[in-house]
């Protein structure tokens, strides 16, 4: 944490290497979070890029005060996602693009993985907005409960409860999906 | 309620141990035997969700995004330290004096001589200053977009020239300028301007307002609907012509730069490849906005 604090301080003082390091550390996580939230490859790419450009413009406004940099960055991403979803709310949501799956070279693993991404995306659509956010931040963004709580403006207890209910709901949806699959076969 | 809260904590502790510390489900279950039956299926689902969400960005997107971010980073630094030809951060009288100087120089033929100069030549700063003056003196958004398209063409010629001379740093700088020109076209052509993703945390919004203070101000192209029918038709025609120009440039310039890969020295190739990526992405964005 101390390291990140000094890195952020240097970035605020326009140290290019420090900001570049923060970018490299958080890029994939932000992309995964955005991609899982919106399920559209092209939009996720544009939005990820915009998150970092906005962060670059706004870094001077970031105040440490115990709030992790990741929480601040994800807050920017979250606001962009919310803005995007609001604009798209009247349109039907499309399934995840095939190219969103891992670039693993093992074809069998890729096929399994692809199925999981699709299933996960569909299953998360059945969650409440708060549950979906917790799952995206925890699993795609790899954030701790404390960081998720800071981003969502909730207590850690509330986030843990949401995490629990979200996993239960995901399980139910995934099991129901598997049963339908078995019945079709 | 208390029991449920206790289970929330146990589940989270197990997830933390599984996801961050690499422990196994069995290890976790052994630590909480009284919750094992309830925990096991949920941990399985959580691990599946974690595995499925490991979506990787496409390598070409990652490279392009990195290049554009690093360019923005360097541009920010350059704006801060730019000594003379800085239009965004200098007092307005400096810009005015520079305009007068360039106009005076125009009479002596210096500007004409500078117009064909390349980034490694002494008159190149005069060429850039002349371009800035042209932008200042172009009042309409459409006119500015047309000018940016012409400037983008010049930047591509400069990239090609610098690639031939094996000057990667000059290629990078020209590519950054190309990126700026194409971004400006997209911004000018877009009905929404450059305000994508505006729903930010208050602190972020504030900072964005403070940071954005360009002297050369541009308005979006499309809202210019007001006015008589003839005037509107002329604007539509000009916009269509601009689009055709950008389409042609997108094809020619990217092909021109790509063809150079066969002949330029190895050490110039990485910079040239990045310039090609900028050209492709920039023209694509500009065209999307002109659709």
């Amino acid at each position: 944490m101390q390291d990140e604090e000094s890195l952020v301080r240097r970035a605020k003082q326009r140290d290019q290497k420090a900001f570049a390091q923060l970018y490299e550390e958080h890029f994939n996580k932000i992309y995964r979070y955005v991609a899982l939230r919106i399920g559209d490859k092209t939009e996720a790419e544009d939005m990820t890029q915009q998150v970092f450009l906005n962060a670059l413009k706004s870094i001077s406004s970031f105040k440490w005060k115990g709030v992790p940099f990741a929480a601040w960055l994800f807050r920017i991403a979250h606001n962009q996602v919310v803005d995007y979803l609001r604009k798209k709310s009247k349109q039907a949501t499309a399934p995840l693009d095939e190219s969103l799956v891992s670039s693993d070279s093992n074809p069998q693993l890729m096929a399994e993985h692809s199925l999981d991404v699709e299933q996960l995306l569909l299953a998360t659509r059945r969650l409440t907005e708060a549950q979906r956010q917790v799952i995206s931040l925890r699993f795609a963004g790899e954030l701790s409960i404390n960081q998720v709580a800071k981003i969502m403006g909730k207590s850690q207890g509330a986030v843990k409860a949401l995490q629990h209910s979200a996993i239960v709901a995901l399980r139910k949806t995934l099991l129901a999906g598997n049963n339908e699959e078995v019945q079709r076969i | 309620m208390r029991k449920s809260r206790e289970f929330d904590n146990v589940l989270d502790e197990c997830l933390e141990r599984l996801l961050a510390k690499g422990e196994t489900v069995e290890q976790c279950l052994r630590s909480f035997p009284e919750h094992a039956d309830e925990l096991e299926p949920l941990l399985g689902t959580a691990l599946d969700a974690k595995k499925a969400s490991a979506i990787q960005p496409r390598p070409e997107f990652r490279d392009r995004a990195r290049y554009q971010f690093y360019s923005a980073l360097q541009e920010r630094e350059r704006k801060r330290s730019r000594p003379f030809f800085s239009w965004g951060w200098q007092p307005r009288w400096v810009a005015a004096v520079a305009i007068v100087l360039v106009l005076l120089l125009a009479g002596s033929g210096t500007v004409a001589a500078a117009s064909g100069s390349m980034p490694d030549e002494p008159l190149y700063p005069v060429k850039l200053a002349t371009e800035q003056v042209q932008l200042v003196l172009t009042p309409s958004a459409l006119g500015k977009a047309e000018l940016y398209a012409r400037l983008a063409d010049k930047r591509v010629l400069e990239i090609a020239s610098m690639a031939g001379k094996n000057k990667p740093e000059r290629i990078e700088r020209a590519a950054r300028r190309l990126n700026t020109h194409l971004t400006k076209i997209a911004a000018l052509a877009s009905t929404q301007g450059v305000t994508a993703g505006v729903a930010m945390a208050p602190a972020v919004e504030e900072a964005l307002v403070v940071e954005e203070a360009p002297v050369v101000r541009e308005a979006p192209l499309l809202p210019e609907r007001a006015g008589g029918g003839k005037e509107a038709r002329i604007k539509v025609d000009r916009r269509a012509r601009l689009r055709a120009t950008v389409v042609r440039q997108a094809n020619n310039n990217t092909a021109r730069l790509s063809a150079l890969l066969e002949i330029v020295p190895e050490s110039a190739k990485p910079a040239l490849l990045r310039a090609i990526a900028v050209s492709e992405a920039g023209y694509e964005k500009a065209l999307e906005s002109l659709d």
Side-chain angles (χ1 to χ4, degrees):
Chain A
M1 191 62 90
Q2 185 59 39
D3 280 347
E4 187 173 77
E5 191 174 349
S6 89
L7 208 55
V8 172
R9 193 174 299 123
R10 281 167 45 212
K12 285 188 71 168
Q13 290 162 354
R14 292 175 176 259
D15 180 331
Q16 290 193 32
K17 279 186 186 163
F19 211 117
Q21 201 174 325
L22 288 168
Y23 172 89
E24 298 294 345
E25 275 175 23
H26 296 285
F27 184 83
N28 279 7
K29 293 176 189 174
I30 291 283
Y31 173 77
R32 282 200 292 265
Y33 166 73
V34 173
L36 190 61
R37 290 302 310 275
I38 65 175
D40 182 302
K41 181 197 72 179
T42 312
E43 290 292 346
E45 291 182 348
D46 284 352
M47 212 179 284
T48 305
Q49 204 164 354
Q50 199 56 45
V51 167
F52 285 96
L53 292 177
N54 284 338
L56 183 61
K57 283 180 180 172
S58 322
I59 185 71
S60 58
S61 73
F62 176 74
K63 292 182 178 65
W64 188 263
K65 286 183 181 172
V67 179
F69 178 76
W72 179 77
L73 201 56
F74 273 88
R75 183 84 198 151
I76 296 176
H78 165 74
N79 285 335
Q80 285 186 203
V81 165
V82 168
D83 191 43
Y84 169 83
L85 293 177
R86 197 183 300 129
K87 284 178 188 161
K88 290 273 170 183
S89 60
K90 286 177 186 170
Q91 297 173 16
T93 39
L96 261 188
D97 197 302
E98 262 183 35
S99 51
L100 269 177
V101 300
S102 165
S103 53
D104 210 301
S105 56
N106 181 334
Q108 193 187 341
L109 202 61
M110 260 187 96
E112 286 171 13
H113 201 169
S114 169
L115 188 68
D116 285 349
V117 174
E118 182 95 15
Q119 280 181 329
L120 180 65
L121 184 78
L122 291 171
T124 55
R125 284 182 183 162
R126 303 246 173 133
L127 302 178
T128 66
E129 169 59 25
Q131 287 173 335
R132 197 159 42 235
Q133 204 182 341
V134 170
I135 292 297
S136 305
L137 290 169
R138 274 294 265 156
F139 298 141
E142 295 178 1
L143 298 182
S144 68
I145 282 287
N146 181 30
Q147 288 173 319
V148 175
K150 291 253 164 62
I151 292 168
M152 295 180 70
K154 292 183 185 292
S155 69
Q156 290 192 36
V159 174
K160 283 178 188 173
L162 277 169
Q163 176 177 255
H164 180 191
S165 64
I167 295 172
V168 169
L170 271 183
R171 181 164 183 78
K172 275 184 189 161
T173 309
L174 292 173
L175 281 177
N178 285 344
N179 287 340
E180 279 172 22
E181 196 91 352
V182 169
Q183 278 168 7
R184 268 206 302 274
I185 295 165
Chain B
M1 186 67 159
R2 212 177 117 203
K3 209 173 168 188
S4 161
R5 201 174 304 154
E6 186 195 328
F7 185 78
D8 292 346
N9 286 331
V10 168
L11 176 63
D12 187 60
E13 189 185 326
C14 277
L15 283 175
E16 205 56 37
R17 285 164 59 176
L18 250 63
L19 303 177
K21 295 175 188 163
E23 284 190 22
T24 63
V25 173
E26 288 70 29
Q27 281 173 312
C28 249
L29 297 180
R30 274 201 296 275
S31 301
F32 302 100
E34 69 279 21
H35 295 295
D37 288 347
E38 199 179 350
L39 267 178
E40 192 175 9
L42 297 185
L43 293 179
T45 301
L47 282 180
D48 283 348
K50 166 75 184 143
K51 193 178 139 200
S53 60
I55 306 158
Q56 294 299 318
R58 292 180 301 133
E60 56 269 35
F61 156 64
R62 204 163 33 202
D63 291 347
R64 177 165 52 85
R66 182 182 284 129
Y67 178 74
Q68 290 189 344
F69 177 76
Y70 282 38
S71 297
L73 208 55
Q74 285 174 3
E75 180 70 12
R76 186 178 73 146
E77 192 53 37
R78 204 169 57 83
K79 270 183 182 169
R80 198 171 69 125
S81 56
R82 201 159 40 185
F84 184 77
F85 292 106
S86 168
W87 301 87
W89 300 96
Q90 297 290 349
R92 285 182 184 255
W93 66 266
V94 175
V97 169
I99 289 170
V100 171
L101 272 176
V102 171
L103 290 175
L104 288 173
L105 285 170
S108 68
T110 309
V111 170
S115 68
S117 64
M118 287 293 144
D120 58 343
E121 293 171 1
L123 283 178
Y124 187 66
V126 178
K127 178 180 178 181
L128 292 182
T130 311
E131 289 172 2
Q132 289 296 329
V133 172
Q134 285 176 311
L135 283 165
V136 171
L137 298 179
T138 306
S140 75
L142 187 53
K144 275 190 173 48
E146 290 165 344
L147 183 51
Y148 277 123
R150 290 198 294 277
L151 296 182
D153 240 3
K154 289 186 181 185
R155 298 296 89 87
V156 170
L157 281 177
E158 290 164 10
I159 290 168
S161 167
M162 293 302 101
K165 291 179 185 177
N166 193 16
K167 294 187 172 175
E169 232 178 74
R170 302 279 187 184
I171 297 173
E172 301 272 11
R173 270 191 240 170
R176 278 201 296 276
R177 291 193 179 105
L178 173 65
N179 187 40
T180 306
H181 299 337
L182 297 174
T183 306
K184 293 279 187 191
I185 295 173
L188 285 161
S190 166
T191 47
Q192 295 165 23
V194 282
T195 54
V198 286
M200 295 189 169
V204 178
E205 278 178 339
E206 254 177 54
L208 286 177
V209 171
V210 173
E211 289 275 337
E212 293 285 328
V215 169
V216 182
R217 295 187 195 284
E218 288 114 7
L221 282 179
L222 279 178
E224 297 178 11
R225 276 195 193 156
K230 191 179 172 191
E231 197 181 328
R233 269 200 307 280
I234 290 171
K235 277 181 183 164
V236 169
D237 288 348
R238 274 181 73 187
R239 190 182 163 88
R241 275 204 302 276
L242 172 61
R243 196 185 184 286
T245 304
V246 176
V247 168
R248 182 177 42 76
Q249 285 185 355
N251 295 330
N252 292 350
N253 287 341
T254 306
R256 180 184 292 165
L257 294 178
S258 299
L260 286 173
L261 283 171
E262 305 281 324
I263 51 172
V264 297
E266 272 310 305
S267 50
K269 281 184 182 172
L272 184 57
L273 277 169
R274 284 192 288 274
I276 292 168
V278 164
S279 170
E280 282 174 345
Y283 277 116
E284 195 182 319
K285 277 266 174 213
L287 283 170
E288 272 173 23
S289 304
L290 282 164
D291 279 339

